[in-house]
Amino acid sequence: MDTIIIKEGESVVQTIKLEKDRFLIGSDQECDIFLDNLLVSASHAELLKTDNGWMFNDLGSDDGSFLDGVKVEEHYLENADEIQIGNFVLIYDCGFLAEDETETKIVFDSENQNPASSVNVPKIIGRQNDGKSVEYLIHKSTVVIGRALGADIVIEDITISRMHAKILFQNGKYYVKDLDSRNGLYVNKKQVSVSEIKNGDIITFGTYAVKFVI
């Protein structure tokens, strides 16, 4: 089911399943998607289901709608697109995020994580720009990696797509799956679309490499 995830700052405030053909977005409480902010017009924008997918349409709002920092009036949504309206960010999910985004974040920087809590918990270990290692714990069956705020593991690297890949746990095994990323997914230097991963495998998202540890 296609979904709109709405964030204000770092917090998810709404998750809307796109179960009908039109959604009105605005600060009027009668809107299908109600955004309470002075920068949001009463009838700010709409989402329309078309034969070519979901279209976002700004309805001549006073303060505009923005995609990647650029004002947008009409746009066919692609997975992980982020539309900013006022203080809100609307993230389009066409099914790749899988898990409920309202759950508590399952990824933690190693500097802020109690070492005792990471025992026997799968993780990926990478390096920050300053050379220090950073680890991300994997606490649920599906974890999405990317640059977008809607990802479970957010890695700010220009070679990583907004929703680059996901790690899944199925039938007692771990897998990594590419989410149609721009720069590809690699396991032990071999490009893959989906692959089982085991302890010690090197996973590369674009050019950013991490080690998978169980």
Side-chain angles (χ1 to χ4, degrees):
M1 172 69 67
D2 290 5
T3 304
I4 292 291
I5 300 162
I6 303 174
K7 285 193 169 184
E8 186 174 17
E10 293 297 319
S11 301
V12 174
V13 294
Q14 294 185 62
T15 301
I16 309 293
K17 292 183 178 181
L18 301 181
E19 298 177 321
K20 56 182 184 177
D21 294 339
R22 181 179 184 267
F23 288 81
L24 181 62
I25 305 166
S27 58
D28 189 317
Q29 294 188 10
E30 298 299 318
C31 288
D32 302 297
I33 300 177
F34 170 58
L35 302 178
D36 187 11
N37 186 267
L38 292 175
L39 298 176
V40 180
S41 299
S43 296
H44 193 105
E46 64 182 356
L47 294 172
L48 295 174
K49 188 175 184 179
T50 74
D51 292 338
N52 296 319
W54 283 96
M55 172 180 277
F56 175 88
N57 181 28
D58 187 280
L59 299 176
S61 64
D62 293 334
D63 292 286
S65 307
F66 299 86
L67 174 66
D68 294 332
V70 178
K71 193 170 184 178
V72 62
E73 294 182 357
E74 288 186 354
H75 174 71
Y76 279 104
L77 294 174
E78 298 179 1
N79 190 59
D81 274 349
E82 299 183 7
I83 304 287
Q84 183 171 352
I85 298 177
N87 291 337
F88 298 93
V89 175
L90 284 65
I91 304 168
Y92 174 61
D93 169 23
C94 65
F96 287 140
L97 298 186
E99 299 291 327
D100 185 357
E101 283 292 328
T102 61
E103 292 180 11
T104 303
K105 275 283 189 179
I106 54 81
V107 180
F108 305 88
D109 189 299
S110 59
E111 294 180 355
N112 299 323
Q113 184 65 21
N114 183 346
S117 67
S118 63
V119 175
N120 298 325
V121 176
K123 56 193 171 186
I124 56 174
I125 303 173
R127 290 197 176 275
Q128 303 177 110
N129 292 334
D130 59 8
K132 294 181 179 179
S133 64
V134 58
E135 65 180 39
Y136 306 91
L137 306 186
I138 301 171
H139 282 301
K140 59 182 181 179
S141 59
T142 302
V143 172
V144 176
I145 299 101
R147 287 190 295 111
L149 291 176
D152 297 302
I153 294 178
V154 179
I155 300 176
E156 295 181 0
D157 184 279
I158 60 172
T159 67
I160 294 179
S161 299
R162 284 176 294 180
M163 294 292 175
H164 196 105
K166 62 181 176 181
I167 294 174
L168 310 96
F169 182 72
Q170 295 179 349
N171 300 320
K173 297 180 180 180
Y174 284 92
Y175 299 86
V176 63
K177 180 178 180 180
D178 188 88
L179 298 180
D180 296 323
S181 65
R182 178 175 298 179
N183 293 308
L185 171 69
Y186 300 80
V187 175
N188 298 326
K189 298 184 179 181
K190 180 181 178 181
Q191 187 168 10
V192 300
S193 58
V194 61
S195 174
E196 181 182 352
I197 50 176
K198 299 179 180 179
N199 185 48
D201 281 348
I202 302 299
I203 307 169
T204 305
F205 311 102
T207 61
Y208 185 87
V210 299
K211 184 176 182 180
F212 179 67
V213 178
I214 300 178

